[in-house]
PDB file of all heavy atoms in Angstrom:
ATOM      1  N   ASP B 359       3.419   3.007  13.835  1.00 96.00           N
ATOM      2  CA  ASP B 359       3.674   3.821  12.634  1.00 96.00           C
ATOM      3  C   ASP B 359       4.993   3.410  12.080  1.00 96.00           C
ATOM      4  O   ASP B 359       5.254   3.425  10.848  1.00 96.00           O
ATOM      5  CB  ASP B 359       3.558   5.305  12.939  1.00 96.00           C
ATOM      6  CG  ASP B 359       2.156   5.722  13.292  1.00 96.00           C
ATOM      7  OD1 ASP B 359       1.192   5.179  12.683  1.00 96.00           O
ATOM      8  OD2 ASP B 359       1.958   6.495  14.276  1.00 96.00           O
ATOM      9  N   VAL B 360       5.967   3.156  12.980  1.00 97.00           N
ATOM     10  CA  VAL B 360       7.354   2.786  12.549  1.00 97.00           C
ATOM     11  C   VAL B 360       7.202   1.471  11.734  1.00 97.00           C
ATOM     12  O   VAL B 360       7.689   1.353  10.574  1.00 97.00           O
ATOM     13  CB  VAL B 360       8.226   2.456  13.798  1.00 97.00           C
ATOM     14  CG1 VAL B 360       9.570   1.872  13.271  1.00 97.00           C
ATOM     15  CG2 VAL B 360       8.511   3.749  14.626  1.00 97.00           C
ATOM     16  N   ALA B 361       6.508   0.530  12.327  1.00 97.00           N
ATOM     17  CA  ALA B 361       6.303  -0.818  11.607  1.00 97.00           C
ATOM     18  C   ALA B 361       5.664  -0.703  10.241  1.00 97.00           C
ATOM     19  O   ALA B 361       6.028  -1.392   9.320  1.00 97.00           O
ATOM     20  CB  ALA B 361       5.605  -1.799  12.485  1.00 97.00           C
ATOM     21  N   GLN B 362       4.777   0.242  10.215  1.00 96.00           N
ATOM     22  CA  GLN B 362       3.999   0.442   8.938  1.00 96.00           C
ATOM     23  C   GLN B 362       4.943   1.008   7.867  1.00 96.00           C
ATOM     24  O   GLN B 362       4.940   0.490   6.731  1.00 96.00           O
ATOM     25  CB  GLN B 362       2.881   1.410   9.135  1.00 96.00           C
ATOM     26  CG  GLN B 362       1.908   1.589   7.984  1.00 96.00           C
ATOM     27  CD  GLN B 362       0.862   0.460   7.984  1.00 96.00           C
ATOM     28  OE1 GLN B 362       0.158   0.372   9.037  1.00 96.00           O
ATOM     29  NE2 GLN B 362       0.809  -0.241   6.952  1.00 96.00           N
ATOM     30  N   VAL B 363       5.748   1.950   8.204  1.00 97.00           N
ATOM     31  CA  VAL B 363       6.658   2.517   7.204  1.00 97.00           C
ATOM     32  C   VAL B 363       7.714   1.515   6.843  1.00 97.00           C
ATOM     33  O   VAL B 363       8.027   1.311   5.663  1.00 97.00           O
ATOM     34  CB  VAL B 363       7.298   3.854   7.763  1.00 97.00           C
ATOM     35  CG1 VAL B 363       8.274   4.419   6.742  1.00 97.00           C
ATOM     36  CG2 VAL B 363       6.244   4.910   8.048  1.00 97.00           C
ATOM     37  N   LEU B 364       8.237   0.818   7.802  1.00 97.00           N
ATOM     38  CA  LEU B 364       9.206  -0.253   7.561  1.00 97.00           C
ATOM     39  C   LEU B 364       8.618  -1.325   6.589  1.00 97.00           C
ATOM     40  O   LEU B 364       9.224  -1.695   5.634  1.00 97.00           O
ATOM     41  CB  LEU B 364       9.720  -1.001   8.863  1.00 97.00           C
ATOM     42  CG  LEU B 364      10.472  -0.165   9.791  1.00 97.00           C
ATOM     43  CD1 LEU B 364      11.150  -1.038  10.927  1.00 97.00           C
ATOM     44  CD2 LEU B 364      11.554   0.745   9.192  1.00 97.00           C
ATOM     45  N   ASP B 365       7.340  -1.651   6.812  1.00 96.00           N
ATOM     46  CA  ASP B 365       6.704  -2.654   5.990  1.00 96.00           C
ATOM     47  C   ASP B 365       6.607  -2.215   4.531  1.00 96.00           C
ATOM     48  O   ASP B 365       6.808  -2.930   3.632  1.00 96.00           O
ATOM     49  CB  ASP B 365       5.308  -2.979   6.528  1.00 96.00           C
ATOM     50  CG  ASP B 365       4.650  -4.138   5.779  1.00 96.00           C
ATOM     51  OD1 ASP B 365       5.246  -5.090   5.579  1.00 96.00           O
ATOM     52  OD2 ASP B 365       3.498  -3.930   5.307  1.00 96.00           O
ATOM     53  N   SER B 366       6.379  -0.913   4.370  1.00 95.00           N
ATOM     54  CA  SER B 366       6.365  -0.333   3.036  1.00 95.00           C
ATOM     55  C   SER B 366       7.651  -0.469   2.284  1.00 95.00           C
ATOM     56  O   SER B 366       7.774  -0.394   1.088  1.00 95.00           O
ATOM     57  CB  SER B 366       5.806   1.028   2.951  1.00 95.00           C
ATOM     58  OG  SER B 366       6.936   1.918   3.433  1.00 95.00           O
ATOM     59  N   ARG B 367       8.750  -0.660   3.092  1.00 96.00           N
ATOM     60  CA  ARG B 367      10.107  -0.922   2.526  1.00 96.00           C
ATOM     61  C   ARG B 367      10.470  -2.409   2.510  1.00 96.00           C
ATOM     62  O   ARG B 367      11.633  -2.705   2.293  1.00 96.00           O
ATOM     63  CB  ARG B 367      11.147  -0.134   3.297  1.00 96.00           C
ATOM     64  CG  ARG B 367      10.745   1.255   3.680  1.00 96.00           C
ATOM     65  CD  ARG B 367      11.075   2.299   2.649  1.00 96.00           C
ATOM     66  NE  ARG B 367      12.481   2.614   2.539  1.00 96.00           N
ATOM     67  CZ  ARG B 367      12.952   3.584   1.812  1.00 96.00           C
ATOM     68  NH1 ARG B 367      12.104   4.260   1.035  1.00 96.00           N
ATOM     69  NH2 ARG B 367      14.201   3.856   1.742  1.00 96.00           N
ATOM     70  N   GLY B 368       9.526  -3.203   2.819  1.00 97.00           N
ATOM     71  CA  GLY B 368       9.827  -4.701   2.907  1.00 97.00           C
ATOM     72  C   GLY B 368      10.393  -5.127   4.123  1.00 97.00           C
ATOM     73  O   GLY B 368      10.699  -6.405   4.272  1.00 97.00           O
ATOM     74  N   VAL B 369      10.553  -4.370   5.137  1.00 98.00           N
ATOM     75  CA  VAL B 369      11.207  -4.763   6.375  1.00 98.00           C
ATOM     76  C   VAL B 369      10.142  -5.094   7.400  1.00 98.00           C
ATOM     77  O   VAL B 369       9.346  -4.312   7.824  1.00 98.00           O
ATOM     78  CB  VAL B 369      12.106  -3.586   6.929  1.00 98.00           C
ATOM     79  CG1 VAL B 369      12.700  -4.086   8.227  1.00 98.00           C
ATOM     80  CG2 VAL B 369      13.109  -3.069   5.974  1.00 98.00           C
ATOM     81  N   ALA B 370      10.078  -6.372   7.763  1.00 98.00           N
ATOM     82  CA  ALA B 370       9.054  -6.988   8.657  1.00 98.00           C
ATOM     83  C   ALA B 370       9.609  -6.953  10.088  1.00 98.00           C
ATOM     84  O   ALA B 370      10.636  -7.737  10.408  1.00 98.00           O
ATOM     85  CB  ALA B 370       8.690  -8.405   8.158  1.00 98.00           C
ATOM     86  N   VAL B 371       8.943  -6.227  10.911  1.00 98.00           N
ATOM     87  CA  VAL B 371       9.320  -6.185  12.422  1.00 98.00           C
ATOM     88  C   VAL B 371       8.038  -6.305  13.150  1.00 98.00           C
ATOM     89  O   VAL B 371       6.956  -6.359  12.630  1.00 98.00           O
ATOM     90  CB  VAL B 371      10.012  -4.929  12.814  1.00 98.00           C
ATOM     91  CG1 VAL B 371      11.418  -4.758  12.132  1.00 98.00           C
ATOM     92  CG2 VAL B 371       9.111  -3.678  12.584  1.00 98.00           C
ATOM     93  N   ARG B 372       8.072  -6.359  14.445  1.00 97.00           N
ATOM     94  CA  ARG B 372       6.902  -6.441  15.328  1.00 97.00           C
ATOM     95  C   ARG B 372       6.802  -5.103  16.003  1.00 97.00           C
ATOM     96  O   ARG B 372       7.801  -4.559  16.513  1.00 97.00           O
ATOM     97  CB  ARG B 372       6.971  -7.553  16.325  1.00 97.00           C
ATOM     98  CG  ARG B 372       5.739  -7.775  17.106  1.00 97.00           C
ATOM     99  CD  ARG B 372       5.646  -9.063  17.734  1.00 97.00           C
ATOM    100  NE  ARG B 372       4.469  -9.121  18.617  1.00 97.00           N
ATOM    101  CZ  ARG B 372       4.157 -10.147  19.386  1.00 97.00           C
ATOM    102  NH1 ARG B 372       4.911 -11.249  19.410  1.00 97.00           N
ATOM    103  NH2 ARG B 372       3.105 -10.129  20.163  1.00 97.00           N
ATOM    104  N   ALA B 373       5.490  -4.677  16.178  1.00 95.00           N
ATOM    105  CA  ALA B 373       5.259  -3.431  16.951  1.00 95.00           C
ATOM    106  C   ALA B 373       4.156  -3.798  17.933  1.00 95.00           C
ATOM    107  O   ALA B 373       3.246  -4.487  17.673  1.00 95.00           O
ATOM    108  CB  ALA B 373       4.782  -2.333  16.050  1.00 95.00           C
ATOM    109  N   GLY B 374       4.332  -3.251  19.191  1.00 93.00           N
ATOM    110  CA  GLY B 374       3.339  -3.475  20.183  1.00 93.00           C
ATOM    111  C   GLY B 374       3.943  -3.802  21.511  1.00 93.00           C
ATOM    112  O   GLY B 374       5.066  -3.298  21.812  1.00 93.00           O
ATOM    113  N   HIS B 375       3.289  -4.638  22.355  1.00 93.00           N
ATOM    114  CA  HIS B 375       3.847  -4.963  23.640  1.00 93.00           C
ATOM    115  C   HIS B 375       4.507  -6.299  23.687  1.00 93.00           C
ATOM    116  O   HIS B 375       5.017  -6.784  24.607  1.00 93.00           O
ATOM    117  CB  HIS B 375       2.800  -4.817  24.732  1.00 93.00           C
ATOM    118  CG  HIS B 375       1.587  -5.537  24.434  1.00 93.00           C
ATOM    119  ND1 HIS B 375       1.555  -6.931  24.265  1.00 93.00           N
ATOM    120  CD2 HIS B 375       0.261  -5.148  24.343  1.00 93.00           C
ATOM    121  CE1 HIS B 375       0.266  -7.314  23.998  1.00 93.00           C
ATOM    122  NE2 HIS B 375      -0.510  -6.253  24.051  1.00 93.00           N
TER     123      HIS B 375
END
Side-chain angles (χ1 to χ4, degrees):
Chain B
D359 297 319
V360 174
Q362 189 84 54
V363 178
L364 296 193
D365 185 51
S366 75
R367 317 275 284 189
V369 181
V371 297
R372 185 160 172 186
H375 50 60

